[in-house]
Amino acid sequence: VHGVTRAQAAAWITAWIEAGISAHVSTVNAEFVMRAQHDATFRNLLEHTDLNVADGMGVVLAARLRRSVMPERVTGVDLAHDLAAVAAKRGYTLMLVGGSQGVAEQASIELQRQHPSLKQPITHVGRPDVSGDLEARKILRQFRPSIILVAYGAPLQEMWIARNIQESKGVVAIGVGGALDYISGRTTRAPTVFRQTGLEWVYRLYQEPWRWRRMRVLPVFAWYALLEAVLHRGKAR
């Protein structure tokens, strides 16, 4: 996971687009890390993405326990807003992929409302598995987006990106999870105090109780992070 700020992440992405380089960006949280412990394919993919940002506060705290540079949390939804601003300023074409029916379209409207000079984003619900790749690649060739926000959830969105942007040049694709739900207004984001204190997951669990199954890994992640920090400092001494 790269220790970058939101501004630095947006600058890297802009530089890749300007240089005609395609790149894959992943927004890593504790659930990603724990899944990668037993999913070799997912782990290998994350080890070869071009930029991994710390989406979860757990990842930020784990890095800081090891005294690694991790200046701030860079969430998928925040990065999406930053890149929409970049696209509006530079005339890039933005593409929104995934989400429930109508979510990408509503997110497109909201982004244009916030950034009036933004070209109308391309929207595509599609399918996250290989059965939808042919249609997706056809759309990519037709519209040639510079930035793609993929909201299929992990690991499906990462797999989709890895399969579908190889033939494109100067396109950066980012897995953004539930960001389109937040941008569209379908889901209310946690108040600032929850986000700043690393308790956004509590608010999400309140909104979506079914997430408790996925969040069971959080205490395990915390234990591993503490253990690794202790071992790391012991070796350093």
Side-chain angles (χ1 to χ4, degrees):
V1 181
H2 298 85
V4 296
T5 63
R6 283 172 56 182
Q8 289 171 330
W12 281 28
I13 291 167
T14 304
W16 281 324
I17 295 170
E18 291 296 308
I21 299 172
S22 293
H24 182 172
V25 180
S26 183
T27 51
V28 178
N29 59 28
E31 292 175 31
F32 278 51
V33 175
M34 296 308 297
R35 185 183 184 94
Q37 301 299 308
H38 60 81
D39 186 335
T41 300
F42 187 46
R43 180 173 67 250
N44 182 66
L45 194 157
L46 291 177
E47 288 174 348
H48 291 87
T49 45
D50 301 284
L51 175 62
N52 289 335
V53 297
D55 181 281
M57 185 55 73
V59 175
V60 174
L61 295 177
R64 291 176 179 174
L65 281 173
R66 282 194 48 146
R67 297 177 180 173
S68 300
V69 176
M70 195 62 65
E72 65 178 342
R73 184 181 177 209
V74 182
T75 69
V77 63
D78 288 331
L79 191 55
H81 281 293
D82 293 343
L83 294 177
V86 170
K89 181 179 179 180
R90 293 178 174 264
Y92 295 157
T93 298
L94 182 65
M95 182 173 176
L96 311 179
V97 176
S100 303
Q101 196 67 41
V103 168
E105 288 82 358
Q106 187 58 44
S108 171
I109 293 170
E110 183 60 25
L111 288 173
Q112 283 187 291
R113 185 189 67 79
Q114 296 182 26
H115 308 282
S117 59
L118 177 67
K119 293 191 294 185
Q120 182 175 351
I122 309 304
T123 60
H124 175 62
V125 176
R127 293 184 295 276
D129 56 48
V130 294
S131 65
D133 288 356
L134 188 62
E135 181 184 11
R137 291 172 189 173
K138 181 179 179 181
I139 293 173
L140 291 178
R141 287 193 297 269
Q142 179 182 356
F143 294 101
R144 298 184 179 278
S146 297
I147 300 170
I148 309 174
L149 306 180
V150 186
Y152 285 133
L156 295 177
Q157 61 195 19
E158 282 70 36
M159 304 299 184
W160 186 95
I161 293 170
R163 293 195 312 267
N164 289 294
I165 70 165
Q166 295 178 357
E167 299 177 2
S168 304
K169 292 184 179 180
V171 55
V172 177
I174 305 100
V176 295
L180 299 188
D181 288 319
Y182 290 122
I183 295 170
S184 68
R186 294 285 183 95
T187 302
T188 304
R189 197 174 183 191
T192 303
V193 64
F194 280 82
R195 302 201 299 268
Q196 291 179 340
T197 56
L199 295 175
E200 189 169 6
W201 64 272
V202 175
Y203 191 84
R204 291 193 72 178
L205 186 60
Y206 167 75
Q207 285 186 307
E208 302 169 331
W210 58 268
R211 284 185 174 274
W212 74 268
R213 293 182 178 84
R214 292 173 52 180
M215 291 183 177
R216 286 181 298 181
V217 300
L218 297 183
V220 183
F221 173 85
W223 167 248
Y224 281 148
L226 287 169
L227 182 62
E228 186 177 79
V230 170
L231 293 175
H232 180 73
R233 292 182 185 182
K235 289 180 181 179
R237 285 195 296 269

